[in-house]
Amino acid sequence: MDEYRILAINPGSTSTKFAVYFNEECKLNKTLRHSIDDLSRYTNILQQFDYRKGMIIDSLVEEGFEVDRIKYIIGRGGLTYPLESGVYLVNNEMLLHASQGVYGQHASNLGPLIADYIANQIPGAQAFIADPVVTDEISDIARITGHPNFEKRSIFHALNQKATARFHAKKQGEIYEDMNLIVAHLGGGISVGAHQKGRVVDVNNGLDGDGPFSPERSGGLPTGQVIDWCFDSNMTKDEVRRMVVGEGGYVAYLKTNNAKEVEELAGRGDAQAKLIQDAMAYQIAKSIGQMAVVFDGVVDAILLTGGVAYNNYLTDYIRKKVQFIAEVFVYPGEDELEALAKNALRVAREEVVAQKYQPRYPKG
């Protein structure tokens, strides 16, 4: 059997994670932490490029890996323009859009940039991304918002949702593209997707505040009250955005984004912590119920994944609410590096063809 050497890269807000795989075997999995002091030297995400890619290369050398033998480098996809699920070759257009952060500034924008840089240093190497957060397979009817000035955006945990759905299908002896699945990623942000025969045809925007609230995001808020608040409070645009993303959910109610801490507080009898935790589970269950409508109620399974899915109380709460729709399976945690590596391996083994980045540009 041929041996394919893969480098997977996942830049996060305060860390850069990377892993080296030889086929399915993980040879190195490392998390490089970045302190506030480290990152305060840079005024934007793009300026962190040299710092982060240098740390990855130095670490690979220190660990004794022959970097020039790694031919597949795959990074987490950033906030470029929308595109369908799949594995994509990094090209100049993608690099431009990631550099610009056309859909927002996030450390994941560095994923294709770092992958491309390292691949260019290795003869015969190629750079890829897979299932980025802007993966967009939403149906036309789901895209309508209620006013032509606004269009629903697909920004969600596509990489982990897709990997979990494929894992579940394989475990059940089924094919992902033949199943109707509802997948809920439960983390710092929460996204609930309707996977119809391999396509996520509807999903809440887990970044901008759509759907259930989460440990640090507000979820959907009463529109009229938000309008009044914005005009009456004299808040800036950035302050309002932070209220929705970063300072909402658990942070707003309980002054922490640590879901484990809230779980422990609720378990010790803290009534407010229990109420807010229950409310989050209640909203997640309602979102799952909404997605069941997409399938006319014909759902093969409901999958709960992400770090918060380790909370058995919360997943049991959700299960009781939605098990009438379909059987509930819990796959706690996430391994985005493994998911990236598996996607690169599928390309190496010619099971899929890496696509060209041809995004769907927004209207106007």
Side-chain angles (χ1 to χ4, degrees), residues 48-61:
Q48 299 174 19
F49 169 76
D50 285 330
Y51 164 67
R52 294 199 190 220
K53 60 93 170 168
M55 290 185 71
I56 293 173
I57 294 171
D58 290 345
S59 294
L60 287 169
V61 173

Side-chain angles (χ1 to χ4, degrees), residues 20 122 208 270 280 334:
V20 177
I122 305 171
D208 278 354
D270 186 310
M280 187 175 78
E334 59 186 287

Side-chain angles (χ1 to χ4, degrees), residues 169-246:
K170 185 176 182 179
K171 187 176 179 181
Q172 299 300 313
E174 302 285 348
I175 299 172
Y176 169 54
E177 288 77 11
D178 290 340
M179 302 185 77
N180 288 340
L181 302 169
I182 299 173
V183 185
H185 175 103
L186 315 180
I190 290 174
S191 59
V192 182
H195 295 237
Q196 186 174 50
K197 312 301 183 188
R199 295 175 61 83
V200 183
V201 295
D202 202 351
V203 65
N204 66 293
N205 184 330
L207 177 66
D208 278 354
D210 180 29
F213 73 81
S214 75
E216 54 188 33
R217 295 170 193 173
S218 69
L221 296 172
T223 306
Q225 292 181 48
V226 172
I227 294 170
D228 291 342
W229 177 268
C230 290
F231 281 91
D232 295 343
S233 66
N234 296 316
M235 294 176 73
T236 67
K237 179 181 178 180
D238 286 343
E239 288 171 335
V240 173
R241 183 164 290 279
R242 283 199 303 273
M243 180 184 74
V244 173
V245 182

Side-chain angles (χ1 to χ4, degrees), residues 22 37 60 76 93 181 198 208 261 294 308 327:
F22 292 3
D37 289 340
L60 287 169
R76 183 182 179 189
E93 190 176 20
L181 302 169
D208 278 354
E261 180 182 339
V294 175
V308 178
E327 187 173 358

Side-chain angles (χ1 to χ4, degrees), residues 7-21 28-34 52 55-56 59-60 74-76 107 111 114 118 334-338 340:
L7 171 61
I9 302 166
N10 182 9
S13 56
T14 59
S15 69
T16 302
K17 300 177 181 179
F18 72 94
V20 177
Y21 279 78
L28 175 67
N29 189 314
K30 199 160 187 178
T31 299
L32 306 173
R33 303 290 180 185
H34 311 306
R52 294 199 190 220
M55 290 185 71
I56 293 173
S59 294
L60 287 169
I74 185 163
R76 183 182 179 189
I114 296 174
I118 295 176
E334 59 186 287
D335 193 337
E336 293 182 324
L337 290 172
E338 182 182 7
L340 287 169

